[in-house]
Amino acid sequence: MNVLGIIASGVAALFITVALAKGARRAALRPHAPDGRAPRAAALRRTGGATIVLGVGTAVGGALWLGAADGSAGSVTGLLAGAGIVAALGLVHDLKPFRAALRFPVQTAAAVLVVCLAGLSPAAGVLAVLWIVLVTNAFALLDHADGLLTTVGLVTAAGLLACAALGGDPALTLLPATLVAGLAGFLLHNWHPARLRLGACGAQFTGFALAASGALIQEAAPSGRAAWAALPALATVALADTALVLISRRRAARSLLRDTDDHIAHRLRRVRVTVPGAAVLLGLWAAVPVTTATLVYAELLHPAFLLLPPAGSAAAVFVLLRIPAYTPPRTAPSRTAPSRTAARRTTAPATGAAIPSAAPAPRVAGPAPRKGAPSGTARTAAGHPTVPPPPTGRSAAGVAAERS
C-alpha cells in the first residue's frame, strides 16, 4: 500500500469522525426533540464511541474496496470484522448493560476470526487470541476519565503505525493510521469536560484494534527484529492499570469484575491531580514504552532497554497502591452504655412506702426586709433580724452583766 493511500484513508477517517461527533454532540445538547419529547442526552453522550467506529470503519472499508490493501486484504478484513463485532457488543452494553463475563466469549470468537483470516499457525494463533482478549479488556478499563483512553490509544496507535511502516507488510499500517486520525478527531469532544464519551462501544473497538494490529504486525515482522519483545511494551500503561486494579480488589476482598473508583486516574485525583493532568501524565507515561519499543523494533536500541519501562511501571504501581482507594466502612455507635435520656427516666422501685414530702413552713406576716439585708436570716415578729449568740458558749445573761 502506498503512502498516499494511507494518508487519504487517515484524512477520511478524521473528517468522518469529526462530522459524526459534532452531530452527536448537537443532538445530545438539543433541548427538545422534533416530536416534543426530551432526547436521551446521557445515552447519546455515552455512545459517542460509535462515531469512531463509523469513521474508521468507513475509511478502512473504502480502502479495501479500492484495492489499497494489496495481498493483505484478508488480514485487514479480519481486523476490521473482529473490531466491528466487539464494537457492536459494546454498543448493546451501552444501551442495556449486562454482565462483564458475557463479553469474553464474543471477544474470543472475534479474535479467532482475526487469527483464521490472517493465516497464523495454531501455536501462534492461540497466543494471539489470548493476547488480543487480554489487551482489549486492559485498554477498555482505561475509559474511566475524560480523554484518558483517547490519549493513551492515540500514542499507542502512533507507535503501531511506526512499527508497521518499518515491518514487512505495509498494508497493516492502514488500521493504525485511520485509528490515529479517528482518535485525534474524537479527542476534540472527549477532552475534559467531555461532551461525548467512548463508552463500551468505542473503548472495546479501540482496544481490540490496537491488540489485533500489534499481534499481526509482530507476526509479519522480519525474523531479525526483536518484535516479540518490542510490541508487548506498547500496552504497558493498560496492563499496569489492570494489575493495579486486580491487586487492590484482591487485597480488599472485593469482586474482581465489579468496576469501582480504584484505577490510576482515580488515585491521582486523590492527590490533587486534575482530570486533564491525569490524561497528560498517562499520555507521557505511555509515550516512554512506545518510543522505546519503536526504537528497539527499528534496531536502533538494544532489546535490553525494554526492561526499563516495565520496571518503572511496576514501581509506579507500587507507589499508587499506597494511595487509599476505598472509603473505610462507618462504625455503628455502641449500644452498651445507657443514654442520658434513659438515665433521667429511671424511676424508684415500686415496693416500699412512699416518703411524704415536708410541709412548707408557715410564713410570718411582717414588713418587707430591708434592702441590703442578707437573705435566709432569722427575723423577729417585727421584721428585725435576730442577733445570733456569741460563739464562746456563754449565756445571754452573762453577756448582759458584763456589758452593764
Side-chain angles (χ1 to χ4, degrees):
M1 185 175 184
N2 55 14
V3 179
L4 293 179
I6 297 174
I7 295 176
S9 301
V11 171
L14 175 64
F15 277 98
I16 294 174
T17 303
V18 169
L20 293 177
K22 189 174 182 180
R25 178 184 174 184
R26 288 182 176 178
L29 298 179
R30 189 181 304 169
H32 292 88
D35 56 356
R37 296 177 299 175
R40 298 182 178 180
L44 289 173
R45 294 171 183 171
R46 188 170 59 250
T47 58
T51 59
I52 290 183
V53 178
L54 294 176
V56 174
T58 303
V60 175
L64 290 174
W65 182 66
L66 294 175
D70 299 331
S72 299
S75 300
V76 179
T77 303
L79 283 174
L80 185 60
I85 290 173
V86 297
L89 178 69
L91 183 61
V92 174
H93 178 74
D94 288 332
L95 298 176
K96 188 175 181 180
F98 52 85
R99 293 183 179 180
L102 299 178
R103 296 198 299 259
F104 295 111
V106 179
Q107 293 172 356
T108 304
V112 170
L113 177 63
V114 173
V115 168
C116 292
L117 292 180
L120 272 66
S121 62
V126 171
L127 294 177
V129 168
L130 295 177
W131 170 257
I132 290 172
V133 173
L134 173 64
V135 176
T136 298
N137 290 279
F139 272 99
L141 288 177
L142 286 177
D143 189 30
H144 56 266
D146 295 345
L148 187 59
L149 175 58
T150 311
T151 304
V152 176
L154 179 61
V155 174
T156 307
L160 287 173
L161 176 60
C163 292
L166 296 172
D169 195 351
L172 295 178
T173 60
L174 179 59
L175 187 58
T178 54
L179 191 59
V180 167
L183 291 174
F186 187 77
L187 188 60
L188 301 175
H189 304 276
N190 188 236
W191 193 254
H192 182 76
R195 278 76 64 186
L196 295 176
R197 295 186 57 188
L198 282 172
C201 177
Q204 293 192 43
F205 176 82
T206 302
F208 189 92
L210 294 174
S213 298
L216 296 187
I217 291 172
Q218 178 178 351
E219 182 66 21
S223 58
R225 300 184 187 274
W228 62 272
L231 292 178
L234 299 175
T236 302
V237 174
L239 295 177
D241 181 72
T242 303
L244 174 67
V245 168
L246 294 179
I247 294 174
S248 300
R249 296 176 186 177
R250 180 67 177 176
R251 286 183 176 182
R254 291 174 174 261
S255 175
L256 299 180
L257 298 179
R258 186 175 182 180
D259 198 11
T260 54
D261 297 341
D262 52 1
H263 295 269
I264 293 178
H266 297 145
R267 297 172 190 265
L268 292 178
R269 289 288 294 153
R270 289 181 173 85
V271 293
R272 306 292 183 177
V273 178
T274 61
V275 175
V280 172
L281 285 178
L282 265 73
L284 295 176
W285 184 356
V288 174
V290 166
T291 304
T292 305
T294 304
L295 294 177
V296 171
Y297 188 84
E299 297 181 344
L300 298 178
L301 286 180
H302 193 271
F305 283 93
L306 292 173
L307 298 176
L308 297 179
S313 299
V317 169
F318 178 77
V319 174
L320 291 171
L321 283 173
R322 304 178 66 88
I323 302 175
Y326 308 110
T327 305
R330 297 181 179 180
T331 57
S334 178
R335 298 182 180 181
T336 56
S339 60
R340 296 182 179 179
T341 306
R344 292 178 181 177
R345 295 180 179 178
T346 304
T347 56
T351 59
I355 302 176
S357 59
R363 185 176 181 181
V364 181
R370 292 177 297 175
K371 185 177 181 180
S375 60
T377 57
R379 298 178 180 277
T380 60
H384 301 286
T386 59
V387 180
T392 56
R394 296 176 293 176
S395 61
V399 174
E402 291 179 0
R403 290 181 179 179
S404 61

